[in-house]
Amino acid sequence: MGQPKYRRVILKISGEGLCKPGGMGLDQEEISRIALAAKAVVAGGTQLGIVVGGGNFIRGQVLSQAGHVRRATGDYMGMLATCINALALQDTLEDLGAPTRVLTAIEMRQIAEPFIRRRAVRHLEKGRIVILAGGTGNPYFTTDTCAALRASELEAEVLMKATKVDGVFTADPVKDPTARKFDRLTYQEVLEKQLGVMDLTAISMCMASRIPIVVFNLKKEGNIARVIAGETIGTTITS
Ligand code: UDP
């Protein structure tokens, strides 16, 4: 691998990135694939923070639609799900010899450190992979918004948004074979066209912080390394 393009990146992995396509829960093979790629990023000299989602277990909004469980309660359950994912990723990374810290937005001192910005920066500078769990710590937000927030405050150069398709399309490429992929988009275009790649809060935050977003296919082998090397894959969203 040549010189990496980025010094510090935030990688957003959805919960569904950690299970088999269309599945739920955790799949060790998928987690190991991501861990191997993440280890290589740090070995290449790039500082890496990973924001994990929790949708492979719970989405607060979906759960609350069935009644009984309040939206806020469901959201907290979703945030706890991200912590489960973070721990699985941490042990897998450390088995590969990659030093890792889990930092949670909701305190759970027995299993992880609380998220403290300056501490997160220190871990990154020491070459540790920092897994950012518990979302923003607030209900009614998403882990995409958490990724935009952490990328902003940790001064990452790019937010890598891993998805199960090749980038941002005119329509859902899984359902519509005529859907066309965008190579480049502006934040404004994503907001105006409501392209649904990330929630609008996340896009707005990246726009305000001028953090480029690269949307790419996680399930294609080698893609994380390609983005880090500066290859133009997926869709790049900038001002
Ligand atoms: N969540 C939340 N606040 C946050 C981040 C997440 O309330 O800051 C909850 C919310 O219920 C969400 C769930 O955690 O549905 C899982 O996160 P998300 O849907 O972003 O996960 P992903 O789709 O990336 O797997």
Side-chain angles (χ1 to χ4, degrees), residues 7-10 42 45-50 99 101-104 113-132 149-157:
R7 183 187 53 87
R8 182 178 295 166
V9 306
I10 292 291
V42 175
T46 298
Q47 298 174 14
L48 177 65
I50 303 178
R101 295 289 186 276
V102 174
L103 271 52
T104 58
E113 294 176 23
F115 174 79
I116 296 168
R117 191 185 71 83
R118 296 174 69 102
R119 192 181 278 186
V121 169
R122 189 88 186 100
H123 288 318
L124 289 168
E125 286 170 350
K126 285 189 169 171
R128 296 172 181 144
I129 295 173
V130 172
I131 304 177
L132 300 152
L149 172 65
R150 299 300 185 226
S152 302
E153 64 183 324
L154 298 175
E155 297 171 353
E157 287 158 309

Side-chain angles (χ1 to χ4, degrees), residues 213-230:
I213 306 166
V214 177
V215 184
F216 69 100
N217 193 336
L218 177 69
K219 301 290 179 187
K220 282 199 182 147
E221 207 65 50
N223 264 359
I224 290 179
R226 284 186 193 100
V227 176
I228 296 288

Side-chain angles (χ1 to χ4, degrees), residues 12-16 52-56 58-61 71 74-79 81-82 134-144 146 161:
K12 162 69 206 298
I13 308 265
S14 295
E16 63 184 7
V52 281
N56 53 328
I58 282 170
R59 287 206 170 85
Q61 197 179 7
R71 168 68 193 270
D75 280 344
Y76 280 113
M77 292 166 73
M79 287 182 259
T82 71
T136 62
N138 299 290
Y140 296 93
F141 285 92
T142 63
T143 51
D144 279 354
C146 170
K161 158 80 176 166

